[in-house]
Amino acid sequence: MALNRNYILLFLFSLVMTVSGLASMPPLDRDEPRFVQATKQMVESGDYVDIRFQDASRYQKPIGIYWLQSAAVALSGKGAAAPIWVYRLVSTLGIALAVLGIAWTGTRLFGASAGIAAGLVMAAIFATAFEGRDAKTDAMLLACCVAAQGALAQIYLASRRNEPVAGHLWWIFWLAQGAAILIKGPIAPLLSALTIAVLFAFERDGRWLSKLKLGRGLLLVVLIVLPWLALITWKSDGAFLQQAVGKDMLGKVAQGEESHGLPPGFYMLTYSLFMWPFGLIAVGAGLQALNRLRDDVRLRFCLAWYIPFWLVFELIPTKLPHYVLPAYPGMALLIGWLLTLQPQEANAPLRRWQQWLWWSTAFGLVVVSFGLAAVCVGAPIYLTHTFSWWSIPAAASALGAGYLAFSRQLQVPLARIGAVAACAGIAYGLLFGVIAPSLKPIWLSPAINEAVRANKPCDTSVLASARYHEPSLVFLVGTKTVLTDIDGVVKHLLADPACALGLAPVEDEQKLNGLLAGQGKVASRLTTIDGVNFSSGDKMSLGLYRIAQ
């Protein structure tokens, strides 16, 4: 009973950690609006096999996340008019499931207190706080990875102890692998394969792998993945495999894709942010685990979960912070493990190089804590020229989380872990739920959408936009929105002079009217939208136009 209560409380805690900002944060260009717009078009068209953004195919990722978001939209009853928060609920649920999964794994490996600690850590790090509010693949992928790795860990541990392996574990492992492939391709299989490979290299014994029931498991994965894969391959005439595998996946391995090519070391430098505020505590636990690697198979598994996956992605040229998110649960488990030791064991002296790494991570914790506090205070002043009183408790909570997480003792009590998580949760809630949405100059697409709604002459009015082509504009204003240049805006206005709307930089207004003058027309500027395109960093002054009547 107590165990079930722990799981329920952790699930609810995770939801509380991510609910703030779901509705108030506008769509985050550029990836999130691409996902939600593709889902929106499925709802509009009734085609739940093909994936498209307007008229272009979108075959970078499989269908899983779009189906889940479509289900959320259907349950909302709002159809294609569903707001962004409906789509984000899938990610919020994904993080909550990942928190439950790591608590379940930690409990089975190290005991109830360790499971609670691992769940609190996963619910409260910056990476999951952000991804739980972002309607993309990564939160639900994390849930699948945690389920698969949790089952694998228990199979491995039972085999090493010559204990019976629960019959449901191989089912969980393979079902999670199949679901993960449908969500983001081979990431979860890669994580498990790397874990297994490192364990085999260390032990030279793979007999325990028979408990995975490889043949039946692979058949189960094929039954999950193959139907849609066959349909989309037929419907796209092979373009899905060519784009998803040949261009997206292999392209990222061979060279930096989408301007995200970075050298090795990127994930080490960003670790303190995305594992904040628990990065230092996790490093301390990880170093103690390294020193006991040969003594405990459970530690061996956790380190094999984290280290090889992190190293592989350091070597891949294309880098984004969320790529290594599936590795972080391995470190969360080690924080829980450290609680099970006697204080003198848990706080045993580190080696010289380990002390250097610990102090480097401590420096990172300080920098990130003060950095987040500075953003909470400085962003409203810089962008809106006003001071937000919400900045004070937000900054104080960020600094409080950093202070509590800066422990000279490697073993941090469960109560203190809970306090760190609570402080971080307050900081996230205010940052994502209040401060960020108030930064109006960076939210150009919502401002444009409001201007279109206030000024459209007809219910059927369609907007054509020149130079501002962010995907969020399409999601908010409508699927028929035309992303074009000045010539395209002119043609659009002339094609429907009574109803059409055009959006163009004010600096191009003379050119716009010059082109219209050749047809005996003139554009009337209805309103001006000023702001910053945060995706590109460009300051923009955009005019909303229609043909003067």
Side-chain angles (χ1 to χ4, degrees):
M1 252 330 256
L3 205 57
N4 291 335
R5 184 177 67 247
N6 291 342
Y7 290 148
I8 292 170
L9 291 175
L10 281 172
F11 184 81
L12 294 175
F13 178 75
S14 178
L15 294 181
V16 169
M17 290 289 285
T18 51
V19 70
S20 178
L22 287 184
S24 56
M25 283 276 288
L28 300 171
D29 285 305
R30 296 187 170 102
D31 280 351
E32 183 184 46
R34 289 170 177 157
F35 279 101
V36 297
Q37 176 60 29
T39 301
K40 180 180 178 180
Q41 288 181 217
M42 286 184 176
V43 175
E44 290 174 336
S45 66
D47 183 348
Y48 293 93
V49 175
D50 204 4
I51 309 169
R52 309 195 74 80
F53 181 91
Q54 294 191 301
D55 294 329
S57 62
R58 179 164 169 77
Y59 294 153
Q60 286 87 349
K61 301 293 183 291
I63 197 69
I65 198 66
Y66 304 103
W67 281 349
L68 291 171
Q69 290 178 354
S70 296
V73 169
L75 290 172
S76 75
K78 297 179 181 293
I84 187 67
W85 66 265
V86 172
Y87 298 84
R88 287 172 173 165
L89 286 175
V90 175
S91 294
T92 299
L93 178 62
I95 296 301
L97 291 175
V99 168
L100 281 185
I102 204 63
W104 167 65
T105 304
T107 299
R108 293 296 185 273
L109 266 59
F110 304 115
S113 294
I116 295 170
L120 287 171
V121 170
M122 286 310 299
I125 61 173
F126 185 87
T128 53
F130 182 82
E131 293 299 336
R133 295 169 165 87
D134 199 14
K136 301 197 281 82
T137 56
D138 300 285
M140 196 55 73
L141 172 69
L142 178 66
C144 293
C145 288
V146 169
Q149 290 289 98
L152 184 65
Q154 293 176 60
I155 292 171
Y156 169 74
L157 183 60
S159 300
R160 282 286 167 263
R161 291 175 171 174
N162 294 316
E163 297 173 354
V165 175
H168 63 276
L169 291 175
W170 76 271
W171 280 96
I172 293 174
F173 178 81
W174 291 109
L175 286 170
Q177 296 288 357
I181 291 170
L182 273 184
I183 289 170
K184 203 172 181 177
I187 301 302
L190 173 64
L191 175 63
S192 296
L194 288 170
T195 304
I196 292 169
V198 169
L199 291 173
F200 179 79
F202 192 89
E203 300 170 347
R204 301 294 179 181
D205 183 2
R207 287 174 295 178
W208 66 276
L209 293 172
S210 64
K211 305 297 184 181
L212 282 176
K213 303 186 186 300
L214 183 63
R216 280 180 276 182
L218 289 175
L219 178 61
L220 183 59
V221 171
V222 168
L223 290 174
I224 294 170
V225 174
L226 188 60
W228 174 78
L229 184 61
L231 280 173
I232 192 62
T233 301
W234 169 75
K235 189 161 189 174
S236 67
D237 198 22
F240 172 79
L241 290 175
Q242 182 181 359
Q243 188 171 339
V245 178
K247 183 179 178 182
D248 188 64
M249 186 175 73
L250 295 181
K252 288 176 179 177
V253 173
Q255 58 184 347
E257 288 286 304
E258 301 171 353
S259 302
H260 299 308
L262 291 165
F266 172 77
Y267 295 115
M268 185 180 292
L269 290 174
T270 57
Y271 168 86
S272 291
L273 172 60
F274 289 93
M275 270 294 285
W276 185 88
F278 288 104
L280 179 61
I281 299 172
V283 162
L287 292 174
Q288 289 289 28
L290 272 175
N291 294 339
R292 295 167 172 80
L293 182 62
R294 296 185 179 276
D295 303 330
D296 194 327
V297 294
R298 301 171 301 174
L299 305 184
R300 203 173 300 158
F301 186 93
C302 293
L303 292 169
W305 181 337
Y306 182 83
I307 294 174
F309 191 84
W310 163 66
L311 285 175
V312 165
F313 277 83
E314 284 284 22
L315 295 174
I316 292 174
T318 303
K319 291 181 173 64
L320 284 170
H322 59 261
Y323 283 1
V324 294
L325 179 59
Y328 292 154
M331 296 294 278
L333 287 173
L334 293 177
I335 293 175
W337 158 74
L338 206 60
L339 289 175
T340 66
L341 301 184
Q342 293 298 318
Q344 63 270 24
E345 292 182 89
N347 299 305
L350 299 175
R351 300 167 188 172
R352 183 178 296 274
W353 71 267
Q354 293 176 331
Q355 291 177 356
W356 178 88
L357 180 59
W358 190 89
W359 279 108
S360 297
T361 311
F363 175 74
L365 171 65
V366 172
V367 169
V368 172
S369 299
F370 278 98
L372 288 173
V375 167
C376 291
V377 175
I381 296 172
Y382 178 74
L383 289 167
T384 67
H385 307 294
T386 59
F387 178 77
S388 171
W389 288 103
W390 289 110
S391 297
I392 296 176
S397 298
L399 293 175
Y403 172 78
L404 290 171
F406 199 129
S407 171
R408 291 296 304 274
Q409 298 295 314
L410 301 184
Q411 186 187 63
V412 178
L414 181 58
R416 187 163 179 171
I417 289 173
V420 173
C423 286
I426 295 170
Y428 298 143
L430 294 173
L431 176 61
F432 293 120
V434 180
I435 296 172
S438 72
L439 306 178
K440 299 299 183 183
I442 66 172
W443 307 120
L444 276 171
S445 290
I448 294 166
N449 182 45
E450 290 178 11
V452 169
R453 290 179 179 274
N455 292 282
K456 66 179 181 179
C458 313
D459 290 338
T460 57
S461 293
V462 174
L463 177 71
S465 177
R467 286 181 53 184
Y468 184 75
H469 293 168
E470 296 304 328
S472 58
L473 184 67
V474 178
F475 175 72
L476 291 173
V477 178
T479 301
K480 294 181 180 179
T481 301
V482 181
L483 305 180
T484 183
D485 54 16
I486 292 295
D487 290 334
V489 170
V490 169
K491 291 176 183 177
H492 178 75
L493 292 174
L494 291 174
D496 187 7
C499 294
L501 292 171
L503 184 75
V506 172
E507 64 192 61
D508 292 332
E509 185 173 305
Q510 187 175 354
K511 180 179 179 181
L512 177 69
N513 274 316
L515 293 169
L516 286 171
Q519 303 296 321
K521 302 289 185 181
V522 64
S524 172
R525 192 200 309 174
L526 304 174
T527 189
T528 304
I529 303 101
D530 297 317
V532 178
N533 182 354
F534 69 84
S535 296
S536 63
D538 297 332
K539 289 185 177 181
M540 305 195 80
S541 180
L542 301 167
L544 182 66
Y545 300 93
R546 64 171 297 200
I547 298 293
Q549 303 298 308

